[in-house]
Amino acid sequence: PFRILPERYFYLTGQTQFRDTGVKGENAYAMLGISKLKKDDELCKDVGKWYQENFGGWELKVDDREKKPLIQILLSKNDNDVNIVDVGQGMNQALPLVVRANIKDRPDSMIILEQPELHLHPAAHGDLAELFAKSAKQNSQTFIIETHSENMLLRLRKLVVENNFGFTKDDIVIYWIEEAEFKGQELMEITIDQDGILSDWRDGVFDEGLKEILEMQKALNKKEQK
């Protein structure tokens, strides 16, 4: 779940082909640099656009003007450029995931992600889920995602209902992992219908917010009675 922390500057080693972003996302920055140097820098543009649309207008840019041949990854907004090292950790932890989801020439590949929401504000969880769903449909890729995020699940259910880009109930399955009766773990398959309704769900899961609200209301009632 922990992606590599970026360097303030990095340089290209001469390798121009990468099969993937790496287990810890270590190749993502070089892939962006290579994309920038090419006449067709579609990967850079796609990643930069996603950041701008989902991270409060901050556009991600690859810059090689200051210390050639060194390259830096910048976040830019209102003519202000900030090195990605100097922003919140969620911004750089998400980068390898966003890069991989925007790679379009690896059909039939399988991408395994552990807690992609880690370090991110809850509002961004759903945006990541939608990116993965679009990549799965448009780039013919399979995502296996281990997550604790309720917002990711809610967004995927909404996408099934909306069906704006062909994402349907047949494109997703959920497995709940729990202790088996005797030993080990067992998987419970949960499906989503066309109305976004889950086939089954465990009691007490993702209801912490409601519990806190109810407890707060009890506390307020006690105050009013005094």
Side-chain angles (χ1 to χ4, degrees):
F2 301 101
R3 265 67 67 181
I4 190 172
L5 294 176
E7 301 288 342
R8 186 170 296 278
Y9 295 93
F10 68 94
Y11 64 94
L12 302 180
T13 62
Q15 184 176 355
T16 60
Q17 299 277 341
F18 294 91
R19 281 191 54 81
D20 51 50
T21 50
V23 174
K24 294 185 177 180
E26 62 271 15
N27 298 329
Y29 297 91
M31 294 171 81
L32 284 176
I34 292 168
S35 173
K36 176 67 175 179
L37 294 175
K38 292 180 178 179
K39 292 182 179 179
D40 180 15
D41 58 347
E42 184 179 6
L43 180 62
C44 276
K45 290 178 181 177
D46 290 343
V47 173
K49 181 181 178 182
W50 190 89
Y51 265 73
Q52 189 173 38
E53 291 177 349
N54 297 283
F55 280 147
W58 286 96
E59 182 182 4
L60 187 140
K61 301 192 304 186
V62 178
D63 182 80
D64 63 351
R65 295 170 298 173
E66 186 177 346
K67 293 185 177 182
K68 289 184 177 180
L70 296 177
I71 291 174
Q72 60 178 329
I73 302 295
L74 302 176
L75 289 166
S76 180
K77 183 178 181 180
N78 299 329
D79 296 325
N80 292 318
D81 293 340
V82 182
N83 193 292
I84 197 169
V85 174
D86 300 319
V87 298
Q89 198 170 8
M91 291 281 214
N92 57 60
Q93 287 292 291
L95 186 138
L97 310 179
V98 179
V99 169
R100 184 61 189 88
N102 277 287
I103 294 175
K104 302 173 182 177
D105 61 351
R106 293 287 310 281
D108 303 321
S109 59
M110 182 178 293
I111 303 156
I112 303 174
L113 305 176
E114 185 178 1
Q115 296 184 64
E117 74 276 7
L118 204 62
H119 307 294
L120 287 175
H121 187 280
H125 296 185
D127 297 328
L128 265 184
E130 186 162 340
L131 173 66
F132 300 150
K134 286 182 177 178
S135 180
K137 288 298 293 183
Q138 297 169 359
N139 302 327
S140 300
Q141 302 183 120
T142 298
F143 286 80
I144 298 178
I145 303 170
E146 186 270 332
T147 181
H148 300 280
S149 172
E150 180 181 13
N151 288 347
M152 293 195 79
L153 179 57
L154 288 172
R155 179 65 65 87
L156 292 171
R157 292 169 66 184
K158 183 172 78 77
L159 293 175
V160 169
V161 176
E162 291 176 341
N163 194 18
N164 288 336
F165 52 90
F167 190 74
T168 73
K169 63 183 182 64
D170 297 323
D171 294 311
I172 179 172
V173 63
I174 302 166
Y175 291 99
W176 175 259
I177 304 174
E178 63 183 4
E179 295 289 337
E181 185 175 354
F182 297 103
K183 72 174 186 177
Q185 307 283 326
E186 64 180 5
L187 297 178
M188 180 182 74
E189 183 176 313
I190 302 172
T191 58
I192 302 175
D193 68 16
Q194 65 272 16
D195 297 321
I197 306 300
L198 300 174
S199 61
D200 196 2
W201 199 247
R202 285 294 185 257
D203 292 337
V205 179
F206 292 151
D207 65 354
E208 291 84 359
L210 177 60
K211 288 179 180 178
E212 293 292 342
I213 291 172
L214 292 175
E215 291 299 322
M216 183 171 59
Q217 188 61 52
K218 287 180 182 178
L220 289 172
N221 291 339
K222 287 182 180 179
K223 277 187 175 182
E224 292 173 358
Q225 292 169 4
K226 290 182 178 179

